[in-house]
Amino acid sequence: MSVNLEVKGTLARLLATEDLLVEHKNVSTASFNVQSRVLTLPRWEKASNNVFNLLIAHEVAHALFTPNEDWRKKTKVPQGFVNVTEDVRIEVLMKKKYVGLPKTFFRGYHELHDQDFFGIADEDVAAMNIADRVNLHFKIGNFIKVPFTSSEMVVVDQCAAAVTFDDALAAAEALYALHEQQKEEQKQTGDEDASSSPEGTEEPQGKDGGEGEEPEEGPSDSEGESSEGGSPQEEDGESDEQGESMESRDDEIGGGDTAGNLTDNVSTMENFNENLEDMATTNTYNQPLYLTYPSFSAAKYIASNKEIHEYINSSFERQREFFYNTNPENADYFIKTLFGGYDKNFNEFKRNIQSEVNYMVKEFECRKSASAYSRSSTSRTGVLDCTKLHTYKYNEDIFKKVTTLPEGKNHGLVFVLDWSGSMCHILEDTIKQLLSIVMFCDKVNIPFEVYAFTNEWNRDNANYYTNSDIPNELVVGDEFSMMNILTSTVNRKELLRQMETIFMIASSYTTRGGNIVPSRVGLSGTPLNEALITLRKILPDFQQRNNVEKAHVMVLTDGEASWTRYTTEIESYDGQTKISVGRLGHQNGYLRNRVTGTVRKIDKEKLCGVTSTILEDLRFEFPQTTFTGFRILEKRGGWFVRQAVGYDDAQIAKWKKEKTIALTNAGYNKYYIVDSDTVQESAEFDVDEGATKAKIKSAFSKSLKSKKNNKKVLSDFISLIA
């Protein structure tokens, strides 16, 4: 039977009434780390739902009630006896804590008894030692009859009454003392039998009451009752009628020759554990890996807006000084040619983008008004409307009305920009799209922050090892940074200057003729997953600082994330255990969030598996935030679209026609895939003088198509935030 391990993990946390860390691993036995509060459960894939629930309830009971102490300093009782009395104690306490659990224990132990988990099918229960019988009595006593003498019942009652762990130890000591007493009695009986039988003389067999007789073990009847002394054990009612007392059977239970040789082993507990190990999956290949988020401060990875632009401006100034120092005669020409060209292009871009920005503003205001109207309420005021008094004969509604418009939520945008080397050919066009949205936000007073994720800003801090002493944590390297390249916290004049600076840097990658990019803001790898992890710190701060109720995150990238790293325990050459860094590849991974208490399987078969899992977790942790992705697809990237849409012919045909498609299966609320050629297409109607009618028609159609595609994406974007 297939069991949902995630649901069982949630059950364990609910039973424990705390946010336990539950890990299902390929181990033979369950364990609980009291310090880290990690409950490790075997993957009992052969267990039924009833048995799984029983085992979880039992292990959670240990987590709740068994203290973390070395009890061997208090008593010399064998561990098997302590295990028996402690199991009795915690299960009794668990059943009292949750009134529905007795039925769970009943069903689970019933199935385990039917499968002979305790290994008693061919055994005489009455001949077992006292610890085995106590273990059976409290676990499967509903299904078999376990006999006890009156002196044994005193210890049984003591086990049942144990409340604290010290009570369980005291019960274990009493249990072991009784066991030792029965062993001694058995030894004495054996010595007496040996001395009363002359050597070489055959002992009489098969006669009732004969001296030295060894009673046969009769088979158990259908009621689960064992046989003693060669005759079937009578039912309780018949025993009462005959007046048989518990004392009259003292010599027949748990001692004498009937029981054989008593040992200190609790065989029923050993059999149960062995069968439980057989039920668990212990194959260490592809062992489940439970990962958690690292603990860090946002300031460690965020390069402030002021710091970024001060560095860029000083770098530009040094470049100008270089021209004056090396070639003073032509310095003005070179500076004007290099920087002046970018200034001209940016001013032209601002003029051309105004129509697009105005369209977004108009669309935003329309949708906002429609949304407000749909939530408005109209009510009468009780004051006469003088303009309607003349209609009093045929109109009852002659009172003034008031329309109440509820206040809308405050919105804010956080942009996450891919600053990787593969973006160089389309970075300028991507920045143009970004700046148009930034200008829109500035015009309608929506707070925003733009972060570019990179490994270059702090490249000197690169460390491919780890200083962490916690295993199984996702790693955000010291070289990683979120560069805050644009922000709404500066005034409009400063914002335009910063926009021009970013435009210049992006354009320099396209022109190639004069790369003016300062080294620390150069393009790098694609630490997308690290950027998403840092959003867990950035978003709460952004919402609090700007009084934002609903935030929107827009991620602009052209590819998948780089390898995700995590800390792992390894054994070094000297036998010492240390923390190292591994890559998250094809492992059977799970992502655990201590804030929300969720555990998510990292589905490697899913589109961008690790990234999708982190995004789904972010959406759950920040339910008032929408996450929108823009994947700018490189040339010959049709394979990605086919894979993303699950080879759906209709979706593929739509992509080929529109070169834009929106998905909802990649972790984002919406994931737009846009062809890079579409991003680079100009929406301006521009033809050469003297162009033929065919060229004019072609240019006009191309302009309309580009505008149509842009407006479709922009309309979808506006619908998210209006």
Side-chain angles (χ1 to χ4, degrees), residues 378-442:
T378 304
S379 57
R380 296 178 181 178
T381 62
V383 179
L384 289 173
D385 186 351
C386 295
T387 62
K388 295 182 179 180
L389 284 177
H390 66 283
T391 65
Y392 75 95
K393 289 185 177 181
Y394 53 85
N395 183 14
E396 294 181 355
D397 187 9
I398 58 174
F399 295 94
K400 287 184 178 181
K401 295 180 180 180
V402 60
T403 300
T404 303
L405 294 174
E407 291 186 5
K409 292 184 177 180
N410 295 326
H411 291 251
L413 273 79
V414 175
F415 299 89
V416 180
L417 176 63
D418 185 352
W419 207 252
S420 65
S422 58
M423 289 281 290
C424 65
H425 301 299
I426 56 173
L427 186 59
E428 180 181 3
D429 297 292
T430 304
I431 288 295
K432 287 180 179 179
Q433 296 281 339
L434 173 64
L435 294 183
S436 66
I437 299 176
V438 167
M439 292 171 70
F440 155 75
C441 291
D442 180 59

Side-chain angles (χ1 to χ4, degrees), residues 423-696:
M423 289 281 290
C424 65
H425 301 299
I426 56 173
L427 186 59
E428 180 181 3
D429 297 292
T430 304
I431 288 295
K432 287 180 179 179
Q433 296 281 339
L434 173 64
L435 294 183
S436 66
I437 299 176
V438 167
M439 292 171 70
F440 155 75
C441 291
D442 180 59
K443 208 159 190 176
V444 295
N445 295 319
I446 294 178
F448 64 87
E449 300 288 346
V450 180
Y451 295 95
F453 56 85
T454 179
N455 287 330
E456 286 298 320
W457 180 258
N458 284 328
R459 174 62 65 184
D460 293 341
N461 297 338
N463 178 15
Y464 296 99
Y465 298 95
T466 179
N467 297 322
S468 173
D469 57 354
I470 302 175
N472 298 338
E473 269 192 351
L474 293 174
V475 172
V476 179
D478 293 339
E479 73 282 0
F480 171 77
S481 291
M482 292 282 275
M483 299 189 301
N484 189 197
I485 57 177
L486 295 172
T487 176
S488 59
T489 57
V490 298
N491 58 47
R492 182 164 295 178
K493 182 179 179 181
E494 176 62 18
L495 177 62
L496 284 173
R497 191 191 65 77
Q498 292 185 4
M499 289 170 63
E500 183 176 3
T501 299
I502 300 303
F503 182 89
M504 290 168 61
I505 291 175
S507 298
S508 72
Y509 283 106
T510 304
T511 59
R512 298 184 183 180
N515 194 334
I516 60 172
V517 182
S519 60
R520 293 184 68 189
V521 292
L523 303 182
S524 69
T526 314
L528 172 58
N529 291 338
E530 288 85 340
L532 296 177
I533 291 172
T534 57
L535 285 178
R536 299 181 69 243
K537 300 289 185 180
I538 291 173
L539 283 174
D541 177 68
F542 172 74
Q543 290 176 299
Q544 182 179 9
R545 185 161 33 89
N546 296 285
N547 192 27
V548 169
E549 295 171 281
K550 192 169 181 63
H552 306 273
V553 176
M554 297 186 65
V555 181
L556 298 95
T557 180
D558 73 329
E560 292 84 6
S562 304
W563 284 100
T564 303
R565 295 176 293 164
Y566 68 98
T567 57
T568 180
E569 277 186 334
I570 63 170
E571 187 174 321
S572 59
Y573 65 92
D574 58 357
Q576 299 294 319
T577 300
K578 67 176 185 178
I579 302 296
S580 183
V581 176
R583 283 182 173 182
L584 184 59
H586 299 287
Q587 294 95 330
N588 185 17
Y590 293 83
L591 179 61
R592 185 168 55 207
N593 189 325
R594 290 302 303 268
V595 175
T596 61
T598 56
V599 178
R600 300 180 187 279
K601 181 174 176 57
I602 300 174
D603 190 351
K604 299 184 291 290
E605 303 299 325
K606 200 171 185 179
L607 185 66
C608 307
V610 179
T611 304
S612 296
T613 304
I614 296 175
L615 282 165
E616 289 170 0
D617 197 59
L618 281 170
R619 288 173 59 185
F620 187 82
E621 186 173 352
F622 301 98
Q624 293 298 318
T625 301
T626 59
F627 293 83
T628 306
F630 285 88
R631 166 72 181 265
I632 303 159
L633 202 62
E634 69 281 3
K635 292 181 179 179
R636 302 187 185 89
W639 63 270
F640 180 80
V641 176
R642 291 191 292 273
Q643 179 183 341
V645 300
Y647 300 93
D648 186 310
D649 292 336
Q651 293 278 63
I652 294 173
K654 181 180 179 182
W655 160 259
K656 289 180 178 179
K657 180 181 178 181
E658 300 179 1
K659 297 299 182 183
T660 302
I661 196 168
L663 305 176
T664 56
N665 63 341
Y668 297 94
N669 293 80
K670 262 196 177 177
Y671 187 41
Y672 293 95
I673 303 176
V674 183
D675 187 83
S676 59
D677 291 338
T678 302
V679 175
Q680 293 171 324
E681 282 180 359
S682 173
E684 296 303 314
F685 176 51
D686 187 18
V687 293
D688 297 330
E689 187 177 349
T692 63
K693 287 184 178 180
K695 287 186 176 180
I696 294 173

